[in-house]
Amino acid sequence: MMVPAILAAFLAAALLPGPASAHGGLSNYTVGETWYRGYDPSTPPEEQLNKPWLTQRQWTTIDPLFSPTSPFLACNNPGTAPPSSIPISAGEVITAVYYYWLHPVGPMTAWLTRCPDDNCNAVNLTEAKWFKIWEAGLLDGTLELGTWYQKSFQRWDGEPGLWPVRLPEGLGSGRYIIRHEILSLHVGFRPQFYPECAHLEVTGGKEGKGVEGEVPSEYLKVFPGAYDQDDESIFVDIYSEENVNTTTYVIPGGPIWEGLGLDLEV
């Protein structure tokens, strides 16, 4: 289902009854003026799976994942592949749309993986190699009282939270999976992971140029595996006495490689 973005707020609100509205999640996507409906965990799966409008991988609950070693860390549980992809050009902006996001603390990251042979449905999510294309964390102040991007992204006026990410201009044309992850740190030493994935059909890129051989191996990550069990950026108590004056935060998952012509401004 593709509709002008100006109808997105009305339609998405109508499509998100019950607990999904109360908690929040990645509800849909926009590219330019076109809106793409996402999966809704509060709607029966038989009304969504294999429907030609579905471009997002299945996630069956609004509850988070609590472990960096979860087998579902890549694309949530169960991560069933959709039948369709979002058309987008290399260098274009895709906006993830969230409703009623409640958590204010923690980093947000966006990742891509190239689908071998342009078959995203056959991708083994636990073996896929992802590279980070966007990140934001603590913007100013201390860990507890400062402003995180996650907090500034929240909306309390009934409008959705919008998370725009620009694809690298140097991508090769073909099919990719985009992964959005919010890591919430509002409970000490109990991180909450909220990943969601959608399929992309990238056009306007460099023909014959894929990720293989382009992104250095140290920037390619697997999920689970990208995060360490003792990572202090994940297992942290922002309310502890030792962090009362901490004003720096290292976003987990390693740095962004900018060799594909990334432009973080949108």
Side-chain angles (χ1 to χ4, degrees):
M1 177 185 290
M2 294 170 286
V3 298
I6 57 173
L7 299 179
F10 171 80
L11 290 174
L15 290 167
L16 284 174
S21 295
H23 189 282
L26 205 173
S27 304
N28 45 69
Y29 304 83
T30 62
V31 176
E33 294 298 315
T34 305
W35 176 82
Y36 300 89
R37 178 178 168 184
Y39 188 85
D40 178 4
S42 67
T43 298
E46 60 269 18
E47 297 180 11
Q48 304 179 81
L49 296 178
N50 299 318
K51 300 298 183 182
W53 48 260
L54 187 61
T55 59
Q56 187 184 45
R57 284 185 172 250
Q58 183 187 18
W59 50 293
T60 57
T61 176
I62 59 175
D63 294 333
L65 304 172
F66 291 104
S67 172
T69 62
S70 168
F72 302 113
L73 191 61
C75 292
N76 216 317
N77 184 8
T80 306
S84 300
S85 300
I86 297 172
I88 187 170
S89 298
E92 196 171 11
V93 173
I94 182 170
T95 299
V97 182
Y98 289 71
Y99 283 85
Y100 306 106
W101 186 256
L102 301 181
H103 307 311
V105 176
M108 299 167 63
T109 55
W111 306 71
L112 286 176
T113 187
R114 179 71 184 263
C115 300
D117 302 319
D118 284 335
N119 185 358
C120 293
N121 288 12
V123 170
N124 184 330
L125 294 176
T126 61
E127 297 178 358
K129 295 181 178 180
W130 303 83
F131 57 101
K132 190 190 294 185
I133 62 170
W134 188 97
E135 64 178 14
L138 182 64
L139 302 180
D140 59 61
T142 64
L143 295 183
E144 178 186 0
L145 302 177
T147 300
W148 295 75
Y149 184 89
Q150 190 175 155
K151 182 177 182 179
S152 65
F153 151 85
Q154 290 179 321
R155 296 291 298 269
W156 297 100
D157 57 2
E159 293 296 315
L162 303 179
W163 178 0
V165 172
R166 186 179 301 278
L167 297 189
E169 294 183 355
L171 285 180
S173 296
R175 293 184 176 177
Y176 294 78
I177 302 175
I178 188 168
R179 175 183 184 271
H180 291 81
E181 179 189 275
I182 297 180
L183 171 58
S184 290
L185 303 173
H186 56 284
V187 180
F189 300 115
R190 189 163 172 77
Q192 298 183 9
F193 299 89
Y194 297 88
E196 273 98 33
C197 296
H199 290 192
L200 304 180
E201 177 78 38
V202 176
T203 58
K206 297 183 179 180
E207 295 300 326
K209 183 177 180 181
V211 174
E212 301 81 3
E214 295 294 335
V215 180
S217 59
E218 61 265 31
Y219 292 89
L220 295 173
K221 307 295 182 178
V222 295
F223 294 99
Y227 305 143
D228 295 329
Q229 282 278 27
D230 58 353
D231 191 326
E232 295 182 355
S233 293
I234 296 175
F235 295 92
V236 59
D237 181 359
I238 64 170
Y239 314 106
S240 68
E241 184 176 348
E242 65 178 317
N243 284 323
V244 66
N245 294 316
T246 301
T247 57
T248 59
Y249 178 82
V250 178
I251 297 173
I256 295 172
W257 186 63
E258 300 180 3
L260 291 174
L262 280 173
D263 182 358
L264 301 182
E265 299 295 327
V266 295

